[in-house]
Amino acid sequence: MAIAGGFGEDFSSMNAVLMSPHHGLNLGYTYVYYMMHCSEDPPIVKFLVAATCILDTLHVSFMCHTLYYYLVINYGVPTSFEYVVWSYAASGVAQLLVIVTVQLFFAHKIYRLCRRGVRWLVTAPILLFILAHYGFGMVVTVLIFYNNKMSVFTQTSYYSVTPSAASVVVAEVLITVSLCVILYDGGSYSGCARAKRLIKTLITYAANRCLLTSIVLIGELVVNVDQQAVWTMGFNFIVGKLYTNSLLASLNAREHLRSQGSPTTSTLNIDGLHFADPPTPPKDGRNSKDEERRFDVHELADTDISSGV
């Protein structure tokens, strides 16, 4: 595999500018979460945040070793790029676990938000692509440990590397589309202006969350198809940071989102939203059709509102 001239400068600049500041931001978000926003969360969510932060830190540590190996220890040795250092493969495991964990978190929230009749219909395709990404990602990692030549990316491009990148893109799009559709559908039942504004805010957050991660993931997919292994490394450095950031930012945004609600909804437990089926009209037919489609804010379930962010 040919290494383009000037790659070392681009390689180090991309990671110094994008990876380290993102990790610092994630650590700040983690501190804010545990100091201000975790008191009402169940232990599983607290554990999830801690595990994600630890995995993110491990990913940064492994990536720093990768950079040190290529740009310091083997500075001026182009042949070093013909081999994949062990720390890069280890960082892939950490990043894979971060992405899968965060996507499963949002998939669980989608499951809780959906009506019972369509829960598995909506979440099953998402889970399928998440598991596919995990499976292909583990295959790539095992192959790198078994054969540390850079050519392994080219040799496995079409049956492991590219499918792994494609499956995570599809899963991300499905998560975002599902959140937006569910929120829009639920907001259509509400006659409260403030509730509708809150739903619009949640939809905007969901779309923005997808936009940045999707751009990076699609970029990674393109370089995988073009078999540019070194640029795949560059994209891999920052993908995990974006997922950690999306999880922590969504959890920490709940207080702000509560303040957007009406006095009625602020007295309820709106750590989450559950869009119940429209109430069944009484037999005497006194309710109008509009009342049948009204969003019942008193039936909000105990599901994190961050699922819409």
Side-chain angles (χ1 to χ4, degrees), residues 67-78:
L67 290 172
Y68 184 77
Y69 175 82
Y70 285 118
L71 303 179
V72 177
I73 296 178
N74 291 287
Y75 178 77
V77 185

Side-chain angles (χ1 to χ4, degrees), residues 123-293:
T123 55
I126 297 174
L127 293 175
L128 177 63
F129 282 103
I130 292 175
L131 294 177
H133 170 61
Y134 176 78
F136 286 122
M138 290 304 298
V139 169
V140 174
T141 301
V142 171
L143 290 175
I144 292 175
F145 277 116
Y146 179 76
N147 178 13
N148 68 339
K149 291 184 178 180
M150 193 70 71
S151 59
V152 70
F153 291 104
T154 302
Q155 296 170 0
T156 63
S157 174
Y158 293 108
Y159 68 84
S160 60
V161 178
T162 300
S164 176
S167 58
V168 71
V169 171
V170 175
E172 185 65 24
V173 172
L174 288 176
I175 288 172
T176 303
V177 171
S178 299
L179 284 172
C180 291
V181 171
I182 292 170
L183 291 168
Y184 179 81
D185 180 62
S188 65
Y189 298 149
S190 176
C192 176
R194 284 192 176 186
K196 287 187 175 182
R197 283 198 298 270
L198 176 58
I199 296 300
K200 289 180 180 179
T201 301
L202 291 172
I203 293 174
T204 302
Y205 281 11
N208 288 341
R209 171 192 168 273
C210 174
L211 181 62
L212 185 56
T213 54
S214 295
I215 290 174
V216 177
L217 289 171
I218 291 173
E220 182 181 3
L221 178 60
V222 170
V223 297
N224 275 324
V225 172
D226 198 35
Q227 298 185 355
Q228 297 292 329
V230 289
W231 286 106
T232 299
M233 284 186 174
F235 281 108
N236 279 340
F237 285 179
I238 61 174
V239 171
K241 304 294 168 292
L242 296 178
Y243 275 93
T244 303
N245 181 275
S246 69
L247 172 65
L248 295 170
S250 63
L251 291 173
N252 292 339
R254 291 174 295 180
E255 290 294 335
H256 171 71
L257 292 173
R258 287 191 184 101
S259 67
Q260 304 297 312
S262 64
T264 300
T265 58
S266 64
T267 62
L268 302 172
N269 180 9
I270 59 170
D271 271 344
L273 295 176
H274 175 76
F275 301 112
D277 293 324
T280 304
K283 295 182 179 180
D284 57 8
R286 286 178 295 180
N287 284 3
S288 66
K289 292 183 179 179
D290 292 336
E291 289 174 329
E292 293 177 22
R293 294 180 55 83

Side-chain angles (χ1 to χ4, degrees), residues 2 12 19 24 46 56 90-91 108 113 118-119 149 177 191-192 203 208 223 284:
S12 59
M19 181 181 69
K46 298 175 184 178
D56 190 50
S91 72
H108 175 259
L113 286 169
V118 296
R119 281 179 174 177
K149 291 184 178 180
V177 171
C192 176
I203 293 174
N208 288 341
V223 297
D284 57 8

